[in-house]
Amino acid sequence: MRRIFLLFLLAPAVVSSQAPTYDVVLRGGRVIDGTASPWYRADIAIKGDTIVRIAPAIVEPAARVIDLNGLVVAPGFIDIHTHARRGIFEVPTADNYIRQGVTTLIEGPDGGSPVPLRPFLDKVSGTRISPNFATFIGQGSVRSEVMGEVDRTATAEEVEHMRTLVRQGMEDGALGLSSGLFYVPGTFTPTAEVVELAKVAGRMGGIYISHMRNEARGVLDSVKETITIGEQGGLPTQVTHHKVVGKKYWGQSVQTLQLIDDARARGVDATIDQYPYTASATSIGAALLPAWAQEGGRDSTLARLKDPAARAKIKGESVAIIRDERGGGDPRNVVASSCGFDPSLAGKNLAEITEKRGVPVTLENAAETAMWIVEQGGCQGIFHAISEEDLQRILVHPATMVGSDGEIPIFGRNHPHPRSYGTFVRVLGVYVREKKLLPLERAVQKMSAFPAQRLGLADRGVIRQGMKADVAIFDPATVRDTATFEKPHSYAEGVHYVLVNGQVVFENGKMTDARPGRILYGPAAKTQSPTSSSARAFVSATGTEMRVLADEKDVRGNEVEIVELKFPPNSDSGDHRHAVTETFYVLDGQMEQVINGTPVKLTTGMSATIRSTDQVRHKSGPEGARVLVVWAPGGEIARVTARWRPQP
Ligand SMILES: [Zn+2]
């Protein structure tokens, strides 16, 4: 009654402006809906995080109307292969991706992911990020966890342990299983062992995606193996960043694509992703030294390099790799992108580094330089060894989607592969507009609906009523990449607006303050529902913070209880295991005020009641508390689980 009365009193003040029906209306755009259908003209209305209406003209009031004057409105791009794991904490806005229109980043590729996934995902979840984020569970990391980096067959018990870890990864929210059979320890894994893990991921609704065993002389066998793993594992399978490395093997994409076509014809769900560059990037050691030389980790590699006989053998194989494979036939085709031991080497090629070491540039000396680099601590490198013809043939294939294989660089630091800044807009600018290799609608489909369908992201990737409002708005006449191998730190051009979950994260050339990105959990994820009394908790890397995340908008009066608490094995059991229930509230992601600073001993069963939110300074948004932080100044917490106890 009282509320109605108040509204009535307020009514005269707002009589001239109706309450907005929508939060955002995108007016007058050309809609490319992601399905590869031809574009059409329409207005799009968004409420909250959802596209609620699409119509020729939407005239109802909106909190914000953005006039697009014929710009293209596409689903936000989904990057199925990224190495954003470190960068997402350093640059949570992921500017290099957002500025291309990428709204979802998929991590955990090439067989590498945190094991277990949950603490990592909780940490991302506790970080205010701009794009959405999801991950695979990595076969190499799982094997490493169980067996170390050894070259031998797994025992039945070890396989069972690995299956358990994959199952746990899927329950933690993985989208499927990734492998990097080129790398250590993936390279030591027999196909049948991968199949056993793939079966687990497949039964739980996941896909398999693989950086194949060999992308040069063994590329055909490797595609066959990827197909076999999908076929025997009973799950969709994908060749990731498909390419044919090494001049000697150029042209073999004709056969690799035929293999994919044949597999699909007999009912195997096999697909491809690709980045639009004729150079790859990975560590110089992994790329130019044979896999056997890397068994057992860095110390073993160094020991082999000290042994004259082993060194000679490594050198011989490395020469062949530089001549016929990753090295692109010429040491100038290998460029260091970052070197921890000597940052001044970034941007220099293997010939220049060889010269710098005072020896003539020959294949043999370049191999020596590669071994020297590994001994010094290693470099990341860029390898120019892919043909444009193969690239284009793969790109236009109907089973190919676009993925960057990039990272989130710190702007200006190191010398990364330009794919991190340019992949998606390069396809739109170079291959659609300039080379007219494929229609714009088809290119967009390869970046949105196709990866969304592949990953089971049923509410993204298409512009349609009811879908999440991840949107990329660009000018098809000007969209382009500006990052080059020489000057990689350069943002995309021609993208005008980017929305994630209904919020504008980029406009007029600038990132906004909005950080609406979410974790997208996979098909088997056991996540807590917002109304349950459980909460996700994690401990900061330094062990100084325990955070409990709740989805409740207002947790006033609720109690958080520590259900399980673990200290590191070596921690002192003395008095300083005290924690201070310095209970912070985080408002819309920004940590603010200490509420009750009474020191208590942190134990299982401990609880802290949220007494009041009155003192909380609102830095942004009046939404209410979402995160409670318990701070242990000594840094002694190793693991914690907690639950909310909502108070009546
Ligand atoms: Zn890879």
Side-chain angles (χ1 to χ4, degrees):
M1 253 344 237
R2 194 166 158 218
R3 185 166 295 171
I4 291 165
F5 179 63
L6 274 173
L7 279 176
F8 179 73
L9 277 183
L10 285 169
V14 294
V15 75
S16 58
S17 68
Q18 296 162 271
T21 310
Y22 305 119
D23 293 323
V24 179
V25 166
L26 305 172
R27 182 167 290 161
R30 278 186 275 166
V31 180
I32 292 184
D33 69 2
T35 66
S37 298
W39 66 264
Y40 64 101
R41 209 175 283 280
D43 293 352
I44 296 172
I46 295 165
K47 197 162 174 62
D49 63 2
T50 304
I51 296 170
V52 291
R53 200 170 153 227
I54 303 175
I58 295 176
V59 295
E60 288 84 352
R64 178 161 187 207
V65 176
I66 303 178
D67 274 309
L68 299 183
N69 298 315
L71 291 174
V72 164
V73 184
F77 305 142
I78 296 166
D79 192 340
I80 197 163
H81 186 137
T82 81
H83 297 269
R85 198 187 309 165
R86 188 185 63 242
I88 196 67
F89 299 111
E90 293 169 343
V91 188
T93 43
D95 305 32
N96 61 306
Y97 279 117
I98 293 287
R99 285 165 177 265
Q100 296 181 63
V102 176
T103 54
T104 297
L105 303 178
I106 313 298
E107 237 287 343
D110 300 336
S113 75
V115 179
L117 279 177
R118 180 45 65 91
F120 166 70
L121 286 176
D122 283 350
K123 191 175 169 200
V124 180
S125 172
T127 306
R128 297 178 65 231
I129 59 175
S130 297
N132 299 310
F133 194 93
T135 185
F136 293 103
I137 179 83
Q139 178 269 334
S141 301
V142 164
R143 193 178 213 261
S144 207
E145 181 77 15
V146 172
M147 305 171 60
E149 309 209 321
V150 292
D151 184 3
R152 65 167 173 83
T153 319
T155 64
E157 291 74 36
E158 285 166 339
V159 171
E160 203 39 54
H161 188 185
M162 289 188 263
R163 287 166 55 90
T164 305
L165 291 179
V166 171
R167 192 174 303 119
Q168 186 192 340
M170 292 300 294
E171 287 175 355
D172 284 350
L175 300 167
L177 178 72
S178 83
S179 77
L181 303 184
F182 170 73
Y183 295 107
V184 170
T187 185
F188 305 139
T189 313
T191 308
E193 183 185 313
V194 184
V195 168
E196 285 312 302
L197 306 192
K199 283 180 186 165
V200 175
R203 269 202 293 272
M204 299 174 84
I207 72 162
Y208 173 70
I209 185 165
S210 181
H211 176 153
M212 301 189 301
R213 211 173 278 278
N214 192 298
E215 295 175 311
R217 69 179 177 281
V219 69
L220 298 179
D221 284 342
S222 294
V223 171
K224 285 180 200 159
E225 182 184 33
T226 309
I227 292 166
T228 298
I229 290 166
E231 203 159 15
Q232 296 182 0
L235 79 178
T237 184
Q238 180 148 322
V239 175
T240 201
H241 54 49
H242 187 30
K243 54 177 136 10
V244 179
V245 171
K247 208 167 190 165
K248 209 171 165 181
Y249 312 104
W250 287 358
Q252 292 197 4
S253 61
V254 173
Q255 290 99 301
T256 62
L257 296 176
Q258 190 61 52
L259 287 168
I260 296 289
D261 286 338
D262 293 347
R264 295 190 62 80
R266 65 171 189 273
V268 183
D269 185 357
T271 50
I272 298 164
D273 65 79
Q274 182 201 32
Y275 53 79
Y277 294 89
T278 54
S280 59
T282 190
S283 96
I284 285 182
L288 300 187
L289 267 54
W292 62 263
Q294 302 167 57
E295 187 194 349
R298 179 166 167 75
D299 288 347
S300 314
T301 306
L302 293 179
R304 286 183 196 105
L305 288 171
K306 279 207 182 70
D307 171 59
R311 189 180 181 94
K313 191 158 183 274
I314 293 169
K315 184 173 169 179
E317 294 189 32
S318 181
V319 165
I321 292 169
I322 296 171
R323 189 184 55 223
D324 301 330
E325 304 196 358
R326 289 261 169 185
D330 188 328
R332 279 175 302 186
N333 285 333
V334 176
V335 182
S337 52
S338 71
C339 303
F341 68 91
D342 182 357
S344 76
L345 295 180
K348 293 206 162 45
N349 67 48
L350 202 56
E352 291 167 327
I353 300 172
T354 302
E355 254 168 17
K356 206 164 173 267
R357 294 179 59 238
V359 290
V361 181
T362 60
L363 286 176
E364 283 72 22
N365 285 342
E368 280 289 348
T369 301
M371 293 188 290
W372 173 81
I373 283 171
V374 170
E375 287 171 328
Q376 299 307 302
C379 301
Q380 291 293 306
I382 293 169
F383 307 84
H384 296 266
I386 302 166
S387 89
E388 179 70 28
E389 216 182 324
D390 282 325
L391 187 164
Q392 295 190 11
R393 187 179 294 123
I394 294 167
L395 179 61
V396 298
H397 191 277
T400 301
M401 63 189 76
V402 177
S404 73
D405 194 11
E407 57 183 328
I408 305 175
I410 292 175
F411 195 87
R413 190 189 288 182
N414 292 330
H415 201 87
H417 193 299
R419 63 194 180 190
S420 297
Y421 287 95
T423 289
F424 292 82
V425 287
R426 181 170 175 78
V427 169
L428 300 176
V430 173
Y431 294 100
V432 172
R433 188 176 60 240
E434 290 171 20
K435 297 191 191 295
K436 302 191 186 340
L437 210 60
L438 66 173
L440 183 55
E441 289 88 344
R442 174 59 63 186
V444 167
Q445 179 254 357
K446 288 172 178 287
M447 303 171 180
S448 55
F450 191 10
Q453 168 271 317
R454 197 69 182 144
L455 296 166
L457 305 175
D459 55 358
R460 295 175 200 270
V462 177
I463 299 283
R464 187 177 289 154
Q465 191 178 315
M467 303 293 272
K468 295 292 180 219
D470 292 346
V471 184
I473 295 167
F474 62 89
D475 181 351
T478 61
V479 66
R480 69 180 194 115
D481 63 311
T482 66
T484 61
F485 286 101
E486 292 71 33
K487 261 193 82 210
H489 294 283
S490 189
Y491 290 125
E493 285 179 3
V495 176
H496 288 235
Y497 300 91
V498 179
L499 284 78
V500 175
N501 295 315
Q503 295 189 40
V504 179
V505 294
F506 176 76
E507 61 177 316
N508 303 324
K510 286 200 185 74
M511 301 293 295
T512 69
D513 291 333
R515 307 266 189 101
R518 296 177 190 159
I519 304 285
L520 307 182
Y521 294 94
K526 292 188 169 168
T527 50
Q528 294 81 8
S529 85
T531 49
S532 83
S533 63
S534 59
R536 293 197 302 275
F538 68 89
V539 177
S540 64
T542 52
T544 54
E545 275 179 14
M546 178 203 92
R547 291 186 179 210
V548 182
L549 311 180
D551 293 314
E552 281 89 343
K553 290 270 185 195
D554 188 347
V555 292
R556 208 172 332 196
N558 289 0
E559 199 172 59
V560 60
E561 180 198 7
I562 296 174
V563 179
E564 183 200 11
L565 187 67
K566 276 198 183 144
F567 295 95
N570 296 327
S571 85
D572 194 324
S573 58
D575 252 349
H576 75 276
R577 262 195 199 178
H578 278 194
V580 182
T581 56
E582 295 199 1
T583 313
F584 298 85
Y585 291 99
V586 174
L587 286 163
D588 195 23
Q590 304 220 20
M591 197 188 315
E592 279 304 320
Q593 182 85 28
V594 178
I595 301 295
N596 44 352
T598 324
V600 294
K601 187 159 181 169
L602 201 59
T603 57
T604 302
M606 186 212 103
S607 64
T609 304
I610 300 166
R611 297 202 175 89
S612 154
T613 54
D614 293 349
Q615 299 161 26
V616 174
R617 290 195 302 265
H618 289 231
K619 211 169 192 178
S620 66
E623 284 187 33
R626 294 194 60 207
V627 180
L628 170 79
V629 177
V630 178
W631 185 45
E636 302 93 348
I637 311 170
R639 205 179 120 175
V640 67
T641 42
R643 65 167 164 252
W644 288 107
R645 272 213 300 257
Q647 296 301 293

